[in-house]
């Protein structure tokens, strides 16, 4: 008795599934979804390459230091790096003395407690501290940014599809709204408080162009700081903040593949030797 009931229940489930599939397909064909400005004008990230790309990729330390400089002088005014400590910057090629100086001279001091009064206080940063956020809390961040909350950038390259390419495209993608968009979607005009960028999901974002002109940052290594160069450098830096162990992971992967290759060859030779004298 149980088997027929189970069979009928399964048959009913299949029928409902097929019915839903057919009715959904008919509805889609007869009344296709209306086109939106986001669907028509949103662009995929630009083609850009980084030294860390691919299974053998390695970070360019000079580029990472330039990217950190762009973050420090431009991005850190609004965006935090909650997952990065000052001491982690040694991986970029900074010396211990340089890391100590960076932590001590950071624009925002580290939240602390006054040991004498127990009241909240601030102090100079040390290498052991995480890079402090530019705002005390979310309320202060929204108040300073027209109610928009600047996201933390620590894992941004992992949180967005195409990672570094997306960040680079967003930073270099600000432009005026195309006339074609306003012609077909007059209601999609970018509000005065927002900025048009076709690489952003809904085309409009609250962040004004952070890299507004060439020479905005004076690189310590003498590299010409064009908008394109600064965007590439800070994108590479944010790839590192999201995957600081990328080089070690690549090296481990190559070692494991080499081990598996040698083990496969040894296993094959052992097989040939063991079964050599046995005829089928």
């Amino acid at each position: 008795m149980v088997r027929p009931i189970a069979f009928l229940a399964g048959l009913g489930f299949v029928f409902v599934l097929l019915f839903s599939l057919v009715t959904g397909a008919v509805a889609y064909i007869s009344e296709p979804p209306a086109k939106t400005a986001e669907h028509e004008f949103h662009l995929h990230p630009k083609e850009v390459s980084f030294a860390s790309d691919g299974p053998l990729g390695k970070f360019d330390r000079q580029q990472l230091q330039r990217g950190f400089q762009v973050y420090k002088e431009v991005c850190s005014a609004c965006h935090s790096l909650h997952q990065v400590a000052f001491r982690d910057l040694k991986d970029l090629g900074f010396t211990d003395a340089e890391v100590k100086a960076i932590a001590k001279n950071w624009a925002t001091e580290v939240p602390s407690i006054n040991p004498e009064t127990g009241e909240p206080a601030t102090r100079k940063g040390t290498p052991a501290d995480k890079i402090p956020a530019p705002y005390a809390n979310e309320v202060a961040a929204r108040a300073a940014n027209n109610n928009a909350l600047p996201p933390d950038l620590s894992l941004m390259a992992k949180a967005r599809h195409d990672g570094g390419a997306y960040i680079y495209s967003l930073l270099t993608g600000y432009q005026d709204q195309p006339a074609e968009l306003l012609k077909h979607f007059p209601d999609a005009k970018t509000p005065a408080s927002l900025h048009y960028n076709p690489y952003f999901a809904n085309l409009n974002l609250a962040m004004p162009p952070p890299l507004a002109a060439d020479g905005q940052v004076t690189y310590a290594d003498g590299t010409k700081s064009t908008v394109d160069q600064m965007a590439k450098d800070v994108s590479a830096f944010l790839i590192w903040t999201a995957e600081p162990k990328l080089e070690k992971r690549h090296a481990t992967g190559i070692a494991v593949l080499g081990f598996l290759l040698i083990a496969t060859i040894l296993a094959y030779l052992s097989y040939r030797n063991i079964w050599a004298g046995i005829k089928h």
Side-chain angles (χ1 to χ4, degrees):
M1 186 64 182
V2 175
R3 288 186 178 179
I5 294 176
F7 175 77
L8 291 175
L11 190 62
F13 175 79
V14 172
F15 174 77
V16 171
L17 186 64
L18 290 175
F19 179 79
S20 300
L21 178 64
V22 172
T23 54
V26 171
Y28 182 85
I29 295 173
S30 59
E31 297 182 14
K35 294 182 179 180
T36 64
E38 291 84 352
H39 180 267
E40 293 293 312
F41 288 88
H42 176 60
L43 300 179
H44 292 290
K46 301 176 183 178
E47 292 289 336
V48 60
S49 60
F50 297 96
S52 56
D53 290 345
L56 301 178
K58 292 186 176 182
F59 289 118
D60 179 345
R61 259 54 188 183
Q62 285 295 107
Q63 184 177 46
L64 294 184
Q65 290 189 22
R66 293 196 303 269
F68 169 69
Q69 187 177 349
V70 175
Y71 167 76
K72 178 183 177 183
E73 297 184 19
V74 180
C75 310
S76 66
C78 298
H79 296 277
S80 58
L81 279 180
H82 289 316
Q83 305 300 321
V84 182
F86 286 112
R87 62 188 173 194
D88 296 331
L89 298 177
K90 289 180 63 177
D91 290 343
L92 275 58
F94 291 112
T95 65
D96 289 332
E98 288 173 328
V99 170
K100 288 181 180 179
I102 291 170
K104 183 178 180 181
N105 299 320
W106 197 257
T108 306
E109 292 191 338
V110 177
S112 182
I113 298 294
N114 187 320
E116 297 179 359
T117 64
E119 296 294 325
T122 59
R123 59 172 175 77
K124 297 291 185 180
T126 67
D129 294 316
K130 295 289 182 68
I131 294 179
Y135 304 107
N137 50 47
E138 180 178 334
V139 175
R142 289 187 181 278
N145 292 278
N146 197 27
N147 203 40
L149 180 64
D152 179 74
L153 298 182
S154 304
L155 303 176
M156 188 58 65
K158 294 290 287 183
R160 297 292 182 269
H161 185 60
D162 290 316
Y166 166 80
I167 296 171
Y168 167 78
S169 301
L170 191 74
L171 292 174
T172 58
Y174 288 90
Q175 57 186 263
D176 294 330
Q177 274 191 304
E180 192 71 13
L181 184 152
L182 296 176
K183 178 181 178 181
H184 292 89
F185 304 97
D187 294 336
K189 182 176 177 59
T190 298
S193 60
L194 300 180
H195 306 270
Y196 180 77
N197 192 316
Y199 298 98
F200 192 64
N202 67 0
L203 306 181
N204 303 302
L205 71 165
M207 181 177 69
L211 303 176
D214 295 346
Q216 191 170 341
V217 172
T218 302
Y219 282 137
D221 65 0
T223 301
K224 188 175 181 180
S225 57
T226 62
V227 170
D228 185 78
Q229 184 68 54
M230 290 185 289
K232 285 182 180 177
D233 292 341
V234 76
S235 298
F237 171 69
L238 293 178
I239 292 174
W240 172 80
T241 64
E243 280 197 282
K245 303 300 182 184
L246 179 141
E247 290 177 326
K248 184 176 181 180
R249 180 166 57 81
H250 284 179
T252 301
I254 296 299
V256 169
L257 289 177
F259 170 79
L260 292 176
L261 178 62
I262 294 173
T264 301
I265 293 173
L266 291 176
Y268 176 72
L269 294 176
S270 298
Y271 161 78
R272 293 295 300 270
N273 182 61
I274 293 171
W275 296 93
I278 301 178
K279 296 183 179 179
H280 294 287

